[in-house]
Amino acid sequence: MRLLKIRAENFRNYTSLEFKPHPFLNIITGENAQGKTNLLEAIFFNFNTYSYRANSLKDIIKWQEKNTKVLAIIKEKEQQYKQSVAINQVGKKKVLIDGVENKKKIPGHSGVILFTPDDLNLIKNTPLLRRKFLDQEVGFFHPEYISYLQEYNRLLVHRNHLLRNIKINKKNSILETLVVWDEQLVNSGIKVLLTRLKILKKLVPLAVKWHRIITKNVENLEIRYLSSLKVPVPLDEKQLKIRFHQLIKEKRLEEIQRCQTMVGPHRDDLFFLINGKNAKFFGSQGQQKTIVLSLKLALVSLYTEQYHSEPILLLDDVLFELDQHRQKMLFSQIEKGMQTFITTNHFDHQLLFNANYDLYVVEKGKINISPVEYRV
Ligand SMILES: Nc1ncnc2c1ncn2[C@@H]1O[C@H](COP(=O)(O)OP(=O)(O)OP(=O)(O)O)[C@@H](O)[C@H]1O
Ligand SMILES: [Mg+2]
């Protein structure tokens, strides 16, 4: 996939943005607060029709203005189309593809893989974020998963409600109803778990491979799925169901006491280990960043394999905190072909082996291409 051109009006600090990117590598430099991240956000917004960093979609409209529009010309597998996404002052969205209104376009990542500095929270923060990441990616690569998860979440709400009811009313008859809900919860929960494991089985070896490349085999990444069923996965479906039922029975009193379902994929987590040590507690900033980057590159590989087309890679402030070796290894890989946009405050020209890239300087919401003589 290639972004051939992007045009935006009143998007964040850009009054009028017009940008024809390089087909492979685009390096976007500039001082703080000039509009580098805003440019990546505009690209992301056009592809996904939502923003990954706005509380409300209206936030992306330039202050004092009433609406914004981002138009992109995209080439995918020899086909070219024009996509326009507009937001008005009440936050209403309008998507046009080749001039025809498209109401079905579902927000989700459609061909863009993004790294932002906030992604480090994936390692540092609570399990909730790791499950969110997993749910989003599994849902993308395995669309049925979205309905599995919705069903599971619906069952959880009902079951927790029932647990509260049992605690308050102390009626045995409600306990019988709970058994029926248990059965549904187990069946639905196992579907969620098995689909997650199916995607992880592909994603993890790819992330490990990318991690080895970037660290030049110095560090070894392990990614483990920690199931609240406390079983070494993979187990087969039947064994997993038996285990789930068994744990639910064991936790019955505790669950009623807390009015909460204590086991199931909504309590699972992912663990990242570097050379056998948990990266959340022992990893340096650069090591944590390398893990997230490897995961994102693994998503690129998975996307390419599934859709036979390379996604667009947006890397916001990825170089900061990575040492020269890691930066070089990263560039040596992304030079290989997919269209990439990297923002950075400082760019060292010696990081690149060939001159197949464009360098831009962003200043006060204007993008200027850097003269060729700056290059190696
Ligand atoms: N809706 C908006 N209207 C106008 N300006 C905005 C809006 N939202 C954000 N800005 C401004 O855009 C400017 C540029 O932001 P951006 O995040 O793109 O900076 P950056 O170049 O990535 O800087 P850094 O190197 O610090 O990451 C900021 O000063 C911010 O205040
Ligand atoms: Mg920025």
Side-chain angles (χ1 to χ4, degrees), residues 84-340:
S84 140
V85 188
I87 299 291
N88 70 11
Q89 62 196 119
V90 287
K92 197 168 178 321
K93 183 159 58 184
K94 191 167 182 181
V95 181
L96 298 178
I97 297 177
D98 285 332
V100 180
E101 187 159 7
N102 185 317
K103 289 191 171 158
K104 278 189 281 182
K105 191 150 171 88
I106 310 160
H109 75 83
S110 34
V112 168
I113 308 277
L114 165 79
F115 170 92
T116 85
D118 284 349
D119 285 332
L120 284 190
N121 288 328
L122 199 60
I123 312 288
K124 294 179 193 216
N125 222 307
T126 56
L128 186 71
L129 270 186
R130 287 182 283 282
R131 284 194 296 268
K132 242 175 117 178
F133 164 80
L134 207 53
D135 289 340
Q136 184 185 323
E137 299 308 333
V138 176
F140 180 73
F141 288 105
H142 210 301
E144 298 97 285
Y145 179 78
I146 299 167
S147 57
Y148 297 167
L149 192 67
Q150 280 167 347
E151 168 73 356
Y152 181 71
N153 287 335
R154 188 184 65 81
L155 289 167
L156 267 184
V157 172
H158 282 284
R159 191 172 181 275
N160 290 346
H161 191 73
L162 203 65
L163 289 167
R164 182 178 306 266
N165 222 333
I166 296 170
K167 185 177 175 186
I168 296 167
N169 298 316
K170 297 191 173 64
K171 268 197 207 153
N172 274 344
S173 59
I174 316 179
L175 257 177
E176 281 160 28
T177 321
L178 186 63
V179 177
V180 180
W181 284 95
D182 287 354
E183 182 67 24
Q184 290 192 53
L185 186 87
V186 167
N187 289 339
S188 166
I190 295 298
K191 268 201 226 164
V192 169
L193 175 63
L194 288 175
T195 321
R196 280 184 186 171
L197 294 176
K198 203 164 154 183
I199 294 294
L200 282 172
K201 205 172 163 188
K202 292 186 189 166
L203 191 69
V204 169
L206 289 169
V208 169
K209 183 199 86 179
W210 279 112
H211 192 268
R212 271 204 209 112
I213 293 173
I214 299 171
T215 64
K216 277 188 163 171
N217 282 323
V218 172
E219 289 177 4
N220 181 43
L221 170 68
E222 273 175 80
I223 303 177
R224 290 190 201 150
Y225 185 86
L226 192 81
S227 164
S228 59
L229 300 184
K230 296 196 180 82
V231 281
V233 280
L235 278 186
D236 71 21
E237 191 172 338
K238 203 170 148 203
Q239 290 168 306
L240 283 172
K241 280 187 181 168
I242 294 170
R243 178 71 183 153
F244 204 159
H245 274 295
Q246 184 191 352
L247 275 176
I248 280 185
K249 277 200 196 98
E250 277 174 26
K251 302 244 176 214
R252 185 73 90 214
L253 284 179
E254 192 184 343
E255 286 198 331
I256 294 171
Q257 215 42 49
R258 294 190 183 201
C259 312
Q260 258 184 45
T261 303
M262 305 294 293
V263 279
H266 65 293
R267 313 271 304 199
D268 294 356
D269 198 1
L270 273 182
F271 264 65
F272 300 94
L273 298 112
I274 293 180
N275 297 342
K277 295 269 183 280
N278 190 335
K280 177 173 177 171
F281 304 114
F282 301 106
S284 71
Q285 287 279 105
Q287 282 176 318
Q288 292 180 344
K289 197 170 225 178
T290 309
I291 298 176
V292 178
L293 190 56
S294 306
L295 269 178
K296 300 285 169 155
L297 292 169
L299 289 173
V300 168
S301 304
L302 208 56
Y303 183 100
T304 310
E305 193 189 298
Q306 183 151 332
Y307 296 101
H308 309 289
S309 160
E310 280 169 332
I312 288 172
L313 184 60
L314 305 180
L315 300 173
D316 192 16
D317 245 334
V318 78
L319 303 178
F320 178 61
E321 281 164 348
L322 290 185
D323 62 36
Q324 285 269 334
H325 294 299
R326 290 180 194 218
Q327 291 189 17
K328 260 195 176 146
M329 287 317 288
L330 174 65
F331 274 113
S332 72
Q333 296 304 313
I334 56 181
E335 271 181 357
K336 284 185 181 157
M338 99 197 90
Q339 194 178 26
T340 305

Side-chain angles (χ1 to χ4, degrees), residues 31-38 40 52-53 117 316-317 343-345:
E31 293 183 356
N32 292 132
Q34 301 303 308
K36 301 183 296 298
T37 303
N38 291 347
L40 297 198
Y52 62 94
R53 66 171 192 158
D316 192 16
D317 245 334
T343 68
T344 178
N345 293 118

Side-chain angles (χ1 to χ4, degrees), residues 75-93:
K75 189 174 171 197
E76 196 185 2
K77 293 183 189 159
E78 301 315 312
Q79 276 200 332
Q80 197 170 307
Y81 62 96
K82 214 189 277 178
Q83 174 159 300
S84 140
V85 188
I87 299 291
N88 70 11
Q89 62 196 119
V90 287
K92 197 168 178 321
K93 183 159 58 184

Side-chain angles (χ1 to χ4, degrees), residues 9-11 60-62 64-69 86-89 92:
E9 288 155 26
N10 298 329
F11 187 93
I60 64 173
I61 302 172
K62 188 166 198 240
Q64 266 88 51
E65 297 294 337
K66 293 194 168 57
N67 39 50
T68 182
K69 183 159 100 180
I87 299 291
N88 70 11
Q89 62 196 119
K92 197 168 178 321

